[in-house]
Amino acid sequence: MSLVEALIKWFVSLFSKENEGGGSVPTQPPVVEQPIQGDNSIEETDVEPELIDPPMIITKPKHYMHILLDNGHAQKTPGKRSPVLNGKQFFEYEFNRDIVHRIGVKLASLGIPFHILVPEVMEDIPLSTRAARANKICAEFGAANCLLISIHSDAAGDGSAWKNARGWSVFTTKGKTNSDKYATLFYNEAEKIVPQLGSKMRKETSDGDPDFEENFTIIYKAACPAILTENLFYDNQKDFEILMSEEGREAIANIHVNAIKQLSIA
């Protein structure tokens, strides 16, 4: 008889009707012959049942940072467009809003709080106004609990001719700030995807991290950590093709979402 069978029989005997009338209840489980392993037989032993409470698992809900999404420029912003190629032309205002929309849809499905700072399409909202909108949200939820992400696509010229520069980059303000660690996180996620799209990564590592540093108004005036992503060059023909494709846009949105999913607060 196996150990399991013997223990089952013993527990049944504890509560059987035979013991209801004052009959003796076994106080010890039966002696069980242990299996023989190899040539070494194990002596019979008294096995006492050991009741162990299952471990208590306490799961703490994950609280995500509030993501403040800034879609750069507007339909009336001069320039900010590519040369025409095969009847197609890139407009940065449209791309930025499309990427922000895609990010928002994905964040909503994940239950991550986000705020679109610029719902306007036609008029280019001043950068200081954009920052003020972000800071109002920071005042409500706490600056440390917010991250501003300004979405852009880069250009090497004025859009009148194709250029050679290409690739993905991320910017913070000058000097060491809390934004640097977030920029590095986004860079690392982009590095997993951008080369697969056929483009390349751009970085500036003189201060030990990959982000470029410029005091762009939208990130400089933000009360919370803030980064600005430049998602390829729309005046480079190869990058242009990626930026105009559904695959490219989904990939760029995923870069941001993959990084955002890692941003939780206590």
Side-chain angles (χ1 to χ4, degrees):
M1 178 183 300
S2 70
L3 172 60
V4 175
E5 292 171 337
L7 287 175
I8 293 173
K9 183 176 180 181
W10 176 65
F11 275 115
V12 170
S13 70
L14 288 177
F15 302 101
S16 66
K17 291 185 178 181
E18 295 177 0
N19 295 318
E20 291 179 354
S24 61
V25 178
T27 58
Q28 297 290 337
V31 174
V32 180
E33 182 177 351
Q34 301 295 323
I36 297 176
Q37 299 180 355
D39 296 329
N40 300 320
S41 61
I42 301 176
E43 296 180 357
E44 294 179 350
T45 58
D46 291 340
V47 179
E48 294 186 6
E50 182 179 4
L51 301 179
I52 302 175
D53 291 331
M56 182 177 293
I57 302 175
I58 301 176
T59 57
K60 183 178 180 181
K62 190 171 185 178
H63 298 284
Y64 291 98
M65 298 182 75
H66 284 258
I67 305 302
L68 316 184
L69 296 169
D70 171 60
N71 31 249
H73 309 301
Q75 187 171 351
K76 289 186 177 180
T77 306
K80 306 301 178 183
R81 63 200 66 195
S82 72
V84 177
L85 181 65
N86 298 325
K88 297 187 296 183
Q89 188 173 23
F90 176 98
F91 295 90
E92 189 181 355
Y93 86 91
E94 180 277 327
F95 170 82
N96 296 340
R97 281 159 178 75
D98 184 30
I99 297 301
V100 162
H101 173 75
R102 291 170 189 257
I103 293 171
V105 170
K106 296 175 189 293
L107 295 184
S109 70
L110 294 168
I112 298 176
F114 68 95
H115 310 262
I116 296 178
L117 296 180
V118 186
E120 296 89 350
V121 177
M122 296 293 293
E123 298 296 331
D124 199 350
I125 303 304
L127 296 174
S128 57
T129 302
R130 294 168 183 253
R133 291 179 181 181
N135 292 343
K136 185 177 180 179
I137 298 170
C138 292
E140 181 177 357
F141 298 105
N145 300 327
C146 298
L147 174 67
L148 186 151
I149 308 170
S150 188
I151 306 294
H152 291 259
S153 182
D154 214 338
D158 60 5
S160 61
W162 297 108
K163 302 293 182 178
N164 293 324
R166 63 186 313 220
W168 190 98
S169 59
V170 59
F171 284 77
T172 62
T173 53
K174 293 183 178 181
K176 285 292 184 181
T177 67
N178 289 333
S179 302
D180 292 340
K181 64 179 180 181
Y182 297 115
T184 298
L185 177 61
F186 279 74
Y187 180 92
N188 290 341
E189 290 302 319
E191 195 171 33
K192 299 174 185 177
I193 293 176
V194 170
Q196 296 182 16
L197 293 174
S199 191
K200 66 178 187 177
M201 300 296 296
R202 297 168 60 88
K203 60 183 177 179
E204 201 289 307
T205 58
S206 62
D207 60 348
D209 50 46
D211 60 274
F212 291 83
E213 295 185 352
E214 292 291 345
N215 288 337
F216 295 133
T217 301
I218 182 61
I219 57 177
Y220 181 73
K221 289 191 173 182
C224 63
I227 65 173
L228 184 149
T229 61
E230 291 282 12
N231 298 279
L232 311 189
F233 280 70
Y234 58 78
D235 58 359
N236 175 280
Q237 288 192 41
K238 292 180 180 179
D239 277 3
F240 168 90
E241 293 289 355
I242 297 170
L243 293 169
M244 296 295 285
S245 71
E246 174 67 17
E247 177 190 8
R249 294 189 175 203
E250 269 295 287
I252 288 169
N254 285 335
I255 289 169
H256 294 78
V257 174
N258 291 347
I260 290 168
K261 287 191 296 185
Q262 302 174 53
L263 304 178
S264 62
I265 58 178

